[in-house]
Amino acid sequence: MLILSCPSKLRLLEGILRKCLPQTLVVHGAVMNINRGNPAGHEVIVDSWPNFKAVLTRPQREVVSDDSDFYANVYAAFYQDLAVYQNLVLNTDAVNWLQRFRIQGNQDGIYRVSKLAAAIKNVPLSATSYITYTHSDPNKLNEYQLDPGFTVSTLNASHVDLMDETWAYGGSEQSHRYLASLVQHFFSSCILDPNGQLISWCVMDPLGATGVGYTLPTHRGKHYAAVAARALSIRAHTAGYPIYGHVALSNVHMREIQERRGYQKLPELCHICTHADVQI
Ligand SMILES: CC(C)(COP(=O)(O)OP(=O)(O)OC[C@H]1O[C@@H](n2cnc3c(N)ncnc32)[C@H](O)[C@@H]1OP(=O)(O)O)[C@@H](O)C(=O)NCCC(=O)NCCS
């Protein structure tokens, strides 16, 4: 295995991954962020170079000091040869099995290898499959008018408490810290009411996905989420990021919204494999 740290090789890798979109979405997003200042402190591992068959991105060891933090310890994966990927995950130092972490990607083999690893290494696994939606040009998304006094803005540190309280996976020191890092480092968008109070929001993650979408229950159905998502997506699209996000199979409401709005559904599910003793 190799840690790819040379900037020109990382740019070359980004170009190669871009040609394999959408299957490479999560790894490509991570590499884009690495190549643009690396705000989350991630690094790239390949089985070999330049003819790599498997790629993993992960936080640098010195960046995430808390081994129990499966929010910050997020890996992205892509392979061209499943056997090579399996070998990279199981038989090298690419994955730190002493940590609690998440590994994700839009290929079935990612789940299969995590399942195998859980059995062989006797580590826990909670895996969830998500539908990935993409949009090729967010400028074409419907434009909705906000009610008078409501404004579009970007998230800041003062918003993190509410985000964490309302997030389905929130409510811990680690989730709060994770959301704070997203807000600090990545594109975000939100809607504020006439008093400047936060009512709807979304934010990009270290893998370039748009997520954590939420509207306060009393304000739903007024297209605030649509306005926030469009604003974030246009900023990210202008910066060259592919626009994508994951929706849980069980979240029928959100799936219907995405499909009505013209997002394209990927045939491959995104598998988020959490190697930690939690159910998410
Ligand atoms: C999903 C969620 C963010 C949508 O927020 P929102 O501000 O209500 O979204 P919008 O108003 O932009 O869109 C809601 C759509 O559902 C429709 N809708 C129908 N009945 C509705 C109801 N009772 N309440 C809300 N929306 C309703 C709206 O008309 C709209 O559809 P349209 O665009 O075709 O007109 C919000 O419901 C939420 O926070 N849910 C919990 C967290 C969640 O599931 N997040 C998404 C994770 S992927």
Side-chain angles (χ1 to χ4, degrees):
M1 74 167 239
L2 292 169
I3 296 180
L4 213 61
S5 50
C6 164
S8 63
K9 288 178 183 166
L10 286 167
R11 280 196 299 275
L12 187 58
L13 176 67
E14 182 182 318
I16 297 169
L17 295 172
R18 200 166 185 96
K19 288 189 188 132
C20 302
L21 289 170
Q23 213 173 26
T24 49
L25 268 171
V26 293
V27 177
H28 174 268
V31 173
M32 273 196 84
N33 282 327
I34 291 169
N35 288 345
R36 284 155 188 75
N38 199 10
H42 282 204
E43 64 189 2
V44 175
I45 291 163
V46 287
D47 60 297
S48 60
W49 184 261
N51 296 316
F52 65 89
K53 298 284 181 248
V55 192
L56 272 177
T57 64
R58 68 178 186 194
Q60 291 157 336
R61 295 266 153 89
E62 56 277 19
V63 170
V64 184
S65 51
D66 179 357
D67 279 348
S68 74
D69 188 348
F70 63 87
Y71 294 92
N73 282 316
V74 57
Y75 290 59
F78 170 69
Y79 59 81
Q80 301 179 81
D81 182 326
L82 182 57
V84 173
Y85 173 69
Q86 182 171 315
N87 186 52
L88 187 68
V89 170
L90 293 180
N91 302 324
T92 72
D93 289 336
V95 173
N96 179 357
W97 294 102
L98 299 175
Q99 289 178 333
R100 299 164 95 214
F101 68 95
R102 293 175 286 143
I103 187 162
Q104 52 181 283
N106 287 80
Q107 290 169 292
D108 289 346
I110 289 161
Y111 168 64
R112 290 207 297 275
V113 169
S114 271
K115 204 170 157 198
L116 189 65
I120 293 174
K121 298 192 179 282
N122 198 23
V123 291
L125 168 65
S126 153
T128 312
S129 301
Y130 291 78
I131 298 179
T132 301
Y133 289 97
T134 65
H135 204 291
S136 53
D137 185 359
N139 292 291
K140 294 187 177 147
L141 286 166
N142 272 354
E143 252 187 293
Y144 296 103
Q145 294 303 313
L146 294 178
D147 288 343
F150 287 74
T151 51
V152 184
S153 187
T154 52
L155 292 164
N156 64 49
S158 74
H159 297 138
V160 176
D161 285 352
L162 181 60
M163 293 172 69
D164 189 50
E165 273 166 36
T166 50
W167 194 30
Y169 311 113
S172 68
E173 195 187 319
Q174 292 169 343
S175 61
H176 192 283
R177 194 163 58 209
Y178 174 68
L179 292 173
S181 77
L182 299 189
V183 167
Q184 184 185 353
H185 295 309
F186 299 106
F187 293 123
S188 67
S189 176
C190 66
I191 309 297
L192 305 176
D193 76 4
N195 300 316
Q197 296 302 308
L198 180 65
I199 55 161
S200 182
W201 58 88
C202 55
V203 61
M204 192 192 253
D205 76 8
L207 312 184
T210 300
V212 199
Y214 194 87
T215 300
L216 297 182
T218 47
H219 291 280
R220 286 185 187 165
K222 294 184 171 173
H223 297 129
Y224 293 135
V227 173
R230 185 174 188 274
L232 186 157
S233 299
I234 288 176
R235 283 182 69 205
H237 180 71
T238 304
Y241 286 82
I243 302 308
Y244 79 100
H246 310 298
V247 179
L249 285 165
S250 58
N251 195 344
V252 178
H253 178 57
M254 193 63 195
R255 285 169 51 189
E256 286 173 355
I257 294 175
Q258 296 295 82
E259 280 159 38
R260 272 203 306 277
R261 292 196 178 145
Y263 285 81
Q264 292 90 44
K265 176 178 164 180
L266 287 200
E268 299 88 2
L269 292 171
C270 177
H271 303 282
I272 302 189
C273 303
T274 305
H275 287 283
D277 46 355
V278 287
Q279 190 62 48
I280 64 167

